[in-house]
Amino acid sequence: MMTKQTDKILFIDDEENMLHMFHRALGRQFSITTANGSEQALSLLQENGPFAVIVADYNMPDINGVELLNRAFTLSPNTVQIMLTGNIQLDVAINAINETNVFRYLPKPCPMDVLRKVIDDALDQFHLIRDKQRLTSEIEQKNLQLAAMNDELTRQKYMLEYELEMAKSVYGNIVLFEENEPDGLDYYSAPKETVGGDFLLSHISKGHEFFYLMVGDITGHGLQSALVVSLISNVFDDLNNNLISIEELAQNINGKMCNKLPTGLFCSAVLAKLDKNTDSITLWQGGMPNAFLLDAAGNIVETLTSNNLPLGVLAEQDFSRSTRCYPLSHANSLFVYSDGVTEQMNQDQVMFGEDRLQTALRSGPSGPKRVDAVISALQAYQQGEPQADDISMMEMNFARVAQALAQI
């Protein structure tokens, strides 16, 4: 880094004794280079620069100081210029000021203490110029970086909006709840983002004797979750041609996910098959929170803990087909929910939890209003806190679903 002791100062004069005097008087304080005439000075500016300050005599035999300083400015625009002259004339001073970038105009001879002070000021000016240029360059570089970052953010925003529209389109092409759902199935879903990872799929067999149901919670949101739901929906569509057991349905979905999706995409799920012929329901559970079999009053008849890993975790040869089968008379309904329900925080950062959920189930009215009662209890507990995750819950009333199938 240059300092006043190392900044180079070029003295230009056609009188050798003047140049020697500058060396003797100022050489210990400043780094001085001398030029005997304008030709040598311009050559030094080109070959030995940069110089912080030029101190030039006005009266020289080849060209005057004004023309010299103009040429010097072309070669070294940052150099601060000082002019000395023994010809104190108003028109000379005016030309020096108007036609050059002269910093100071001094008489010749000039007292050394005055010249020393002016050179100090000129060096300060030189460093101000350099600092301004450096800061300007840094600001321009930062502005370029900000512009590039803004371009990247714009691109990412476009991609996110495009992915969101794609996700909406994919979901729009999948048969979700409230379309062709039988009476007795009450479902609520509130995604944290525009397109969440919780979903419900169902299928009624052609003969209306079987009702298949899947409540799922996929890792991730947006287009990622929409594509997983699309893949799983395709497996459900195959039920139109091939009615299978709930174990086979779970295994088929798991196989599709392992073969088609990248590692790290999982689906916690409850799969159910209601068989009207045997008045029974078969359940496969993987990775979901505890499900509940409820009586008509909302009391828990049995807590159903997941006994399998989520879909997409295990390869086909390691996949668990463990299921449970219950007569429809064993309970009044099945209640399933995602972890976004029990993990929702209140203002004290305390989770809603399973105990409060069970209380809400018992306190709510029977029938389709029970899910509404749980939602109300959850929202009251939330106290305006932001939603932490996708929230979904489902109650399937066995008698009402069976009756709806019989009436189709």
Side-chain angles (χ1 to χ4, degrees):
M1 179 179 180
M2 299 183 74
T3 65
K4 287 186 177 181
Q5 286 72 35
T6 59
D7 291 334
K8 295 194 294 184
I9 301 170
L10 178 61
F11 283 86
I12 308 167
D13 203 303
D14 61 326
E15 299 179 29
E16 284 287 350
N17 62 325
M18 291 298 298
L19 298 177
H20 290 312
M21 183 190 70
F22 292 140
H23 256 303
R24 288 194 304 272
L26 303 172
R28 291 184 179 181
Q29 184 176 355
F30 304 109
S31 176
I32 293 176
T33 301
T34 59
N36 183 241
S38 58
E39 184 177 342
Q40 185 183 8
L42 294 173
S43 177
L44 286 169
L45 282 170
Q46 275 188 306
E47 298 173 6
N48 290 30
F51 287 92
V53 177
I54 294 175
V55 181
D57 183 21
Y58 176 80
N59 295 305
M60 282 183 288
D62 43 1
I63 59 175
N64 64 41
V66 171
E67 185 178 350
L68 172 62
L69 292 182
N70 279 332
R71 292 187 187 181
F73 180 79
T74 302
L75 294 174
S76 183
N78 292 336
T79 301
V80 180
Q81 301 176 347
I82 299 170
M83 181 177 287
L84 296 174
T85 181
N87 183 13
I88 304 298
Q89 296 179 5
L90 183 61
D91 61 331
V92 173
I94 291 173
N95 287 339
I97 293 169
N98 291 339
E99 297 180 20
T100 70
N101 293 276
V102 67
F103 175 69
R104 292 286 188 273
Y105 182 82
L106 299 175
K108 180 184 177 184
C110 179
M112 282 298 119
D113 57 340
V114 174
L115 182 58
R116 187 177 291 108
K117 175 66 169 60
V118 170
I119 290 173
D120 261 330
D121 292 342
L123 289 172
D124 289 337
Q125 179 70 10
F126 174 74
H127 284 282
L128 282 174
I129 294 170
R130 294 290 292 268
D131 289 344
K132 180 183 177 182
Q133 289 180 333
R134 177 180 56 80
L135 290 173
T136 300
S137 176
E138 289 178 1
I139 290 171
E140 289 174 352
Q141 187 64 32
K142 293 295 183 184
N143 285 336
L144 289 174
Q145 292 174 357
L146 285 172
M149 290 170 64
N150 283 332
D151 289 343
E152 178 62 18
L153 287 173
T154 301
R155 188 189 70 82
Q156 290 183 9
K157 179 176 180 288
Y158 170 80
M159 291 301 298
L160 287 172
E161 290 174 347
Y162 176 76
E163 285 191 5
L164 181 59
E165 290 304 314
M166 286 283 291
K168 289 179 181 177
S169 176
V170 170
Y171 261 111
N173 293 325
I174 299 171
V175 179
L176 295 176
F177 186 67
E178 293 181 351
E179 184 176 339
N180 301 321
E181 300 296 340
D183 178 56
L185 196 65
D186 304 313
Y187 180 65
Y188 171 83
S189 179
K192 180 185 177 184
E193 300 173 6
T194 304
V195 178
D198 291 2
F199 67 95
L200 180 144
L201 295 172
S202 66
H203 175 78
I204 300 173
S205 65
K206 292 179 180 179
H208 309 152
E209 68 271 31
F210 302 119
F211 175 64
Y212 293 86
L213 175 73
M214 179 177 184
V215 178
D217 180 0
I218 298 166
T219 54
H221 303 85
L223 183 60
Q224 174 179 279
S225 62
L227 292 175
V228 178
V229 175
S230 178
L231 183 146
I232 295 172
S233 178
N234 290 335
V235 180
F236 261 70
D237 290 341
D238 291 340
L239 292 171
N240 288 316
N241 303 314
N242 184 23
L243 295 177
I244 55 178
S245 67
I246 204 68
E247 296 94 334
E248 292 172 309
L249 178 60
Q251 188 162 8
N252 289 350
I253 295 172
N254 185 79
K256 287 276 189 180
M257 291 185 66
C258 289
N259 293 331
K260 301 291 186 181
L261 299 177
T263 302
L265 282 179
F266 310 131
C267 178
S268 299
V270 173
L271 287 85
K273 179 182 179 182
L274 189 147
D275 186 340
K276 198 175 64 171
N277 295 326
T278 60
D279 287 331
S280 64
I281 184 168
T282 305
L283 302 172
W284 183 96
Q285 292 175 263
M288 289 286 279
N290 292 338
F292 305 123
L293 291 174
L294 305 176
D295 64 17
N299 297 306
I300 295 174
V301 174
E302 187 169 342
T303 298
L304 308 176
T305 302
S306 287
N307 53 353
N308 300 290
L309 290 175
L311 296 164
V313 174
L314 297 175
E316 186 173 357
Q317 64 271 20
D318 301 318
F319 182 71
S320 172
R321 295 160 53 100
S322 178
T323 59
R324 300 182 179 98
C325 185
Y326 299 94
L328 297 183
S329 58
H330 182 65
N332 184 75
S333 62
L334 170 69
F335 184 84
V336 177
Y337 60 95
S338 66
D339 55 8
V341 176
T342 49
E343 293 178 3
Q344 178 59 49
M345 300 284 191
N346 65 2
Q347 291 180 349
D348 297 324
Q349 298 302 295
V350 178
M351 292 191 295
F352 185 65
E354 190 175 299
D355 290 342
R356 292 185 182 87
L357 173 59
Q358 293 182 16
T359 300
L361 288 170
R362 290 193 299 270
S363 303
S366 61
K369 299 297 183 181
R370 181 173 287 129
V371 168
D372 294 341
V374 175
I375 296 167
S376 296
L378 180 62
Q379 291 175 344
Y381 183 81
Q382 193 172 341
Q383 299 172 322
E385 280 295 295
Q387 187 171 322
D389 196 1
D390 297 335
I391 291 174
S392 63
M393 60 188 80
M394 183 279 308
E395 183 178 16
M396 178 169 62
N397 185 288
F398 300 147
R400 286 168 53 207
V401 171
Q403 184 178 2
L405 294 178
Q407 294 174 349
I408 294 176

